[in-house]
Amino acid sequence: MNSLILAIIGIAMMAAGYILYSKFLAKRVYKLNAEFKTPAHEFNDGVDYVPTNRYILWGHHFTSVAGAAPIVGPAVAVIWGWLPAFLWVTIGTIFIAGMHDLGALWASQRNKGQSIGTLSGRYIGPRGRNLFLVVVFLLLLMVVCAFGVVISDLLVSQPGAVIPVWGALVVALLVGQAIYRLRMNLLLVTALGVGALYGLIILGNAYPITLPDEFLGLNPNGQWIVLLFIYAGIASLLPVWVLLQPRDYINGIQLFVGLGILYGAVLIATPTIVAPAFNENVPEGTPSIVPLLFVTIACGAISGFHGTVATGTTSKQLDRETDAKFVGYFGAVGEGLLALGAIIATTAGFQTLADWEEIYHEFQAGGVPAFVEGGGAIVNTGLGIPTGLSATILATMAVLFAATTMDTGVRLMRFVVQEIGEMAKVRINIWAATVVAVVIAAGLTFSQGADGSGGMLIWPLFGTTNQLLAALTMGIITVMLIRKSRPILPVLIPMAFVLVMSLYAALVQVFGFYEDGEWLLFTLNVIILVAGSWVLVESIIAMLAARKAEKEPDDAELLTADQKLPLD
């Protein structure tokens, strides 16, 4: 199979999804209204609520939800063969991820920018909200801790990425000042910012940086993790326009340039996919493709983490409600393209099937290293870029996206801590909430030793927890649509599929953890299963009640004067 054919089919499918299906969702299901006064305008505080250009906001949303997950998931899942991974990424992006992200944004817009946890309280009930927050907090904890480990591993293994990764923060700060203080032309600022970032990549490749073998009892991995947690805590406290928005925007453009390089190399080199379409010779110990495929590839097909970002930060920055289609649905398409690139890099980036099987000798053996190695080889062959520089480009891309997700995750954890405080009638300011979030995450990360290996301790729960959260988020959206007499099948059918697969996978994992004596994972998985099942029951009750209740006015068409956005 020629990888170019796979790339063309995948890109065409996702483009058609954005052009056709997102239009249907925006007009018929969610009925987006350009006149609706968004929370960013209603509560503009210059910190979290900031009306933002849709291209900049797309960059924030896309890079925050992407991270390393759309690389890691597909780069692991191809062990079952490239075709199942390809189908799940493309179909999932078009009919589930785009709908989910757009719907979460719409739901939050229509509820003053409230988070998905708060929305669960309104539409499902207080019990559902409490349990929902448990699932959300555990998911964010997994993301923040694991991504800290992933980034530190990459910075150690790819020292050429150090300068561009940390230099990107300076570039982002300057971009933020240029856009918001100096009011410079966005296109010019974008060109200068991306140019500076790629200049840093070349500089970093020429001057790799390594940390000392030991400092204060920490090896290089532990040292990077400490620095990353300090950075994430500070970044989560800054106003979004200072660092969060410009950094994510420049990173988003950088990713598309990076994807352009990868896909351009595929176009020129047309490498052959050496991995089988269906792998009938999987290594011993590899779990069944059903249901594990559907939780191994989360980001890139459907991810509950997207709902926490969409309702936690993105919804507070939306300038016009109609921007949600571009920011939400196209953000999911961007992540799908990254996942497709990961599939191609990890199946066509090796010379022979034997070379591929050497990498995929056991389940979970692929991941980011396979993406960097395979993608670097394709870029080297297609564009003649030296293998070392190619690897630096791809490693920098992976680290920058993981870092954006990590500090967005800390900001979201801060929101959840404050929401929990509100439930307990205790007011927690943003400084205290941030400290609580960072201390808990750092404590778990270093719980197994000074190398930070504890950060991956509960990561095996991510896939099932993430997909379960996505299903529950779609449940909330369904309740809202029923109350407004809107079409529900575009949401209800994907919700049912994702729910069945995530619960099935969670049950498989529970028995596996029990047999292996993994008691921490077993206990947490049981808690997540009970909480998720309880929220599901509450959601079904809420759906049935919504069908019988008096319908809400269609607020997409009936807006009072104070709900309308002032004319420019």
Side-chain angles (χ1 to χ4, degrees):
M1 175 72 173
N2 191 304
S3 60
L4 179 59
I5 297 175
L6 195 67
I8 291 173
I9 294 173
I11 293 171
M13 289 175 66
M14 293 185 204
Y18 178 69
I19 294 170
L20 301 174
Y21 194 58
S22 72
K23 184 177 180 179
F24 164 75
L25 293 172
K27 288 191 172 183
R28 296 289 304 278
V29 179
Y30 301 126
K31 296 186 179 181
L32 305 182
N33 192 324
E35 294 185 355
F36 179 75
K37 181 184 286 187
T38 63
H41 286 280
E42 186 176 358
F43 305 110
N44 189 347
D45 61 5
V47 178
D48 293 317
Y49 292 86
V50 178
T52 304
N53 177 287
R54 67 174 185 159
Y55 297 105
I56 296 175
L57 185 56
W58 168 84
H60 157 68
H61 180 77
F62 170 43
T63 55
S64 293
V65 300
I71 296 174
V72 174
V76 170
V78 292
I79 197 168
W80 289 298
W82 61 262
L83 185 57
F86 172 79
L87 292 175
W88 177 226
V89 163
T90 51
I91 295 173
T93 294
I94 295 167
F95 294 106
I96 309 181
M99 172 275 296
H100 169 275
D101 291 17
L102 173 55
L105 259 179
W106 165 76
S108 184
Q109 287 300 293
R110 292 292 165 164
N111 288 277
K112 301 184 182 298
Q114 292 177 336
S115 73
I116 195 66
T118 302
L119 291 178
S120 65
R122 174 174 180 181
Y123 290 100
I124 297 178
R127 289 185 304 242
R129 178 194 181 189
N130 297 346
L131 295 167
F132 206 100
L133 286 175
V134 170
V135 177
V136 171
F137 188 82
L138 285 173
L139 180 70
L140 292 173
L141 185 62
M142 295 173 203
V143 169
V144 170
C145 295
F147 279 23
V149 175
V150 169
I151 296 168
S152 68
D153 287 345
L154 280 171
L155 291 176
V156 171
S157 63
Q158 298 287 338
V162 173
I163 287 178
V165 165
W166 294 101
L169 300 181
V170 178
V171 173
L173 289 170
L174 293 175
V175 167
Q177 295 298 316
I179 293 174
Y180 287 100
R181 295 288 191 189
L182 303 179
R183 304 290 180 182
M184 292 176 62
N185 178 271
L186 179 60
L187 185 60
L188 174 62
V189 173
T190 301
L192 292 174
V194 173
L197 187 56
Y198 274 89
L200 288 170
I201 290 175
I202 295 173
L203 182 64
N205 187 65
Y207 299 98
I209 293 177
T210 59
L211 294 181
D213 292 337
E214 184 176 345
F215 181 74
L216 298 178
L218 298 174
N219 66 8
N221 292 78
Q223 295 169 44
W224 281 127
I225 290 172
V226 170
L227 291 173
L228 286 165
F229 274 120
I230 293 173
Y231 152 72
I234 294 173
S236 69
L237 290 167
L238 292 174
V240 290
W241 66 268
V242 173
L243 179 61
L244 185 76
Q245 285 180 359
R247 179 213 56 204
D248 291 355
Y249 172 65
I250 289 298
N251 284 352
I253 300 299
Q254 180 265 149
L255 172 66
F256 261 76
V257 173
L259 284 176
I261 291 173
L262 178 59
Y263 283 118
V266 171
L267 177 63
I268 295 171
T270 63
T272 299
I273 296 176
V274 298
F278 290 96
N279 189 7
E280 297 179 358
N281 188 33
V282 295
E284 184 178 353
T286 301
S288 171
I289 187 173
V290 178
L292 267 296
L293 170 70
F294 303 101
V295 297
T296 300
I297 300 180
C299 298
I302 173 62
S303 167
F305 179 68
H306 291 202
T308 65
V309 174
T311 63
T313 59
T314 307
S315 66
K316 297 174 175 61
Q317 303 169 62
L318 205 66
D319 184 33
R320 293 183 181 273
E321 188 176 67
T322 47
D323 291 345
K325 181 168 81 78
F326 180 77
V327 174
Y329 195 100
F330 192 64
V333 168
E335 189 175 69
L337 290 172
L338 178 56
L340 176 61
I343 292 172
I344 293 172
T346 54
T347 57
F350 301 93
Q351 292 295 316
T352 66
L353 175 59
D355 292 335
W356 182 81
E357 289 178 335
E358 185 177 348
I359 296 293
Y360 287 88
H361 62 279
E362 64 178 354
F363 187 61
Q364 302 281 15
V368 175
F371 168 76
V372 172
E373 181 179 344
I378 293 174
V379 171
N380 173 250
T381 303
L383 301 179
I385 299 176
T387 303
L389 180 57
S390 300
T392 298
I393 292 173
L394 295 177
T396 300
M397 185 170 71
V399 172
L400 287 176
F401 278 86
T404 58
T405 302
M406 182 181 177
D407 63 47
T408 297
V410 172
R411 187 180 287 259
L412 293 171
M413 285 180 72
R414 182 244 293 176
F415 292 154
V416 173
V417 169
Q418 289 179 298
E419 287 187 53
I420 293 173
E422 289 175 6
M423 285 172 14
K425 302 189 183 304
V426 177
R427 183 175 178 81
I428 305 176
N429 63 39
I430 62 173
W431 294 91
T434 301
V435 169
V436 169
V438 171
V439 167
I440 291 176
L444 177 62
T445 303
F446 288 103
S447 64
Q448 301 297 300
D451 61 350
S453 57
M456 302 302 294
L457 191 63
I458 62 175
W459 180 251
L461 299 172
F462 173 78
T464 52
T465 306
N466 192 40
Q467 303 303 66
L468 182 60
L469 180 60
L472 298 177
T473 299
M474 287 187 276
I476 293 172
I477 296 171
T478 301
V479 173
M480 288 185 64
L481 292 174
I482 292 174
R483 287 190 178 187
K484 296 179 183 298
S485 298
R486 305 269 184 87
I488 63 170
L489 290 183
V491 182
L492 191 62
I493 293 174
M495 182 199 78
F497 177 79
V498 174
L499 182 65
V500 169
M501 289 301 160
S502 57
L503 287 176
Y504 183 8
L507 286 171
V508 170
Q509 283 190 320
V510 162
F511 289 112
F513 294 147
Y514 178 80
E515 291 175 357
D516 295 338
E518 299 279 1
W519 301 117
L520 174 62
L521 294 175
F522 172 80
T523 303
L524 289 176
N525 209 357
V526 169
I527 291 173
I528 292 168
L529 259 175
V530 171
S533 300
W534 195 331
V535 174
L536 170 63
V537 172
E538 298 275 358
S539 299
I540 294 173
I541 293 173
M543 290 180 199
L544 295 174
R547 291 181 66 87
K548 298 178 181 178
E550 183 178 349
K551 302 306 177 187
E552 296 179 355
D554 198 331
D555 54 9
E557 289 131 12
L558 302 176
L559 299 177
T560 60
D562 64 336
Q563 290 176 311
K564 291 185 178 181
L565 187 68
L567 295 176
D568 293 334

